């Protein structure tokens, strides 16, 4: 039987996420805790999830890696695995899609065309990462607006900023609470995990073969050359 498999893999935060699709049909969508040394289990976990569906690694013709914002080590590992699995193979396409878009997918029908979404992440070191998306063509697309903010900067920034949705991960809510003004914190919608299938389903990002297009939780990432 001819299958049209695509897959997504994300290890940008405290959890690993994997999705497998046959055309538009979601066959698997799994998220599990995976931090530090546990990340050595990533390849084996993906293999086990594929085996559950009856699919083999070679059956996947399109791979999407979650590009963050997130952990340097986790995202590099996910990208390196996919690169290794696909290197030298013909007929296989790869790309990166922001993990923030898979977080925004939790909004579902609550997000309307044209809505702006502010995805907030724990940037460590008493900072947060602000990553803006906009609903375009039914999916969350990055606007290119990204900021690294400490508590003082966040107060100034959000005093002037407006959007339809403020979102975050539940596991990072307590860290964000130390950095956000109370009014903004009250508007925050927190979700248990991302929807990894949204990475594979993204239509606006081409399969460009660039698995190094990652957004690290490091202020230097956002520094533009003069």
């Amino acid at each position: 039987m001819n299958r049209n498999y695509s897959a997504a893999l994300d290890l940008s935060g405290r959890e690993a996420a994997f999705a497998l699709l046959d055309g538009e049909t979601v066959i698997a969508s799994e998220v599990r805790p995976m931090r530090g040394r546990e990340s050595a289990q990533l390849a084996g976990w993906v293999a086990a999830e594929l085996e559950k569906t009856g699919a083999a690694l070679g059956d996947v013709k399109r791979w999407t890696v979650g590009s963050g914002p997130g952990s340097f080590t986790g995202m590099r590992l996910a990208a390196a695995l996919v690169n290794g699995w696909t290197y030298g193979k013909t007929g296989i396409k790869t790309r990166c899609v922001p993990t923030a878009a898979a977080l925004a997918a939790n909004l579902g029908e609550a997000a309307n065309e044209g809505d702006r979404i502010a995805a907030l992440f724990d940037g460590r070191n008493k900072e947060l990462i602000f990553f803006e998306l906009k609903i375009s063509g039914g999916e969350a697309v990055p606007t290119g607006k990204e900021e690294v903010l400490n508590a003082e900067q966040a107060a100034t920034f959000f005093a002037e900023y407006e959007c339809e949705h403020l979102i975050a991960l539940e596991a990072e809510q307590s860290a964000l609470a130390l950095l956000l003004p109370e009014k903004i914190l009250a508007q925050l919608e927190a979700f248990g995990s991302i929807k990894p299938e949204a990475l594979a389903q993204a239509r606006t990002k081409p399969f460009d073969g660039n698995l190094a297009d990652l957004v690290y939780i490091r202020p230097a990432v956002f520094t533009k050359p003069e």
Side-chain angles (χ1 to χ4, degrees):
M1 184 180 296
N2 184 27
R3 297 289 188 182
N4 186 25
Y5 286 126
S6 58
L9 183 62
D10 184 273
L11 188 58
S12 60
R14 295 172 170 84
E15 297 177 321
F18 172 75
L20 181 69
L21 287 74
D22 184 1
E24 295 299 319
T25 303
V26 179
I27 299 173
S29 179
E30 301 294 335
V31 177
R32 60 158 288 185
M34 190 176 289
R35 300 182 67 183
R37 294 181 180 179
E38 293 177 345
S39 61
Q41 304 171 19
L42 185 62
W45 177 64
V46 172
E49 293 302 321
L50 282 169
E51 186 176 0
K52 289 178 185 177
T53 69
L57 200 59
D59 294 331
V60 181
K61 303 305 179 185
R62 292 175 303 284
W63 280 96
T64 301
V65 174
S67 64
S71 159
F72 177 93
T73 302
M75 290 194 299
R76 285 293 296 271
L77 176 58
L81 277 176
V82 171
N83 189 56
W85 289 334
T86 61
Y87 183 77
K89 305 285 176 51
T90 58
I92 300 179
K93 299 178 180 180
T94 61
R95 65 176 177 178
C96 288
V97 169
T99 307
L103 175 60
N106 284 289
L107 290 168
E109 294 182 357
N112 300 309
E113 188 72 10
D115 281 3
R116 287 189 300 166
I117 302 165
L120 306 183
F121 299 87
D122 177 13
R124 321 292 196 268
N125 301 321
K126 299 180 180 180
E127 293 176 323
L128 64 84
I129 304 292
F130 162 93
F131 191 97
E132 188 184 69
L133 308 107
K134 185 176 182 178
I135 300 297
S136 177
E139 68 177 280
V141 178
T143 65
K145 192 169 186 178
E146 305 161 3
E147 301 284 347
V148 180
L149 305 167
N150 59 29
E152 183 178 351
Q153 292 166 332
T156 301
F157 179 82
F158 285 108
E160 300 180 355
Y161 178 78
E162 294 183 0
C163 67
E164 285 72 29
H165 307 279
L166 283 159
I167 62 173
L169 288 164
E170 287 178 356
E172 298 187 347
Q173 198 170 9
S174 58
L176 293 172
L178 301 175
L179 300 168
L180 291 171
E182 289 187 12
K183 180 180 177 180
I184 299 301
L185 187 62
Q187 299 172 27
L188 194 65
E189 290 185 76
F191 300 99
S193 64
I194 67 169
K195 286 185 174 291
E197 62 269 28
L199 297 173
Q201 292 168 335
R203 300 183 301 275
T204 57
K205 181 71 188 296
F207 283 88
D208 54 9
N210 183 5
L211 292 178
D213 185 18
L214 306 173
V215 183
Y216 304 125
I217 293 184
R218 294 290 185 274
V221 170
F222 303 104
T223 302
K224 296 180 174 59
E226 297 180 359

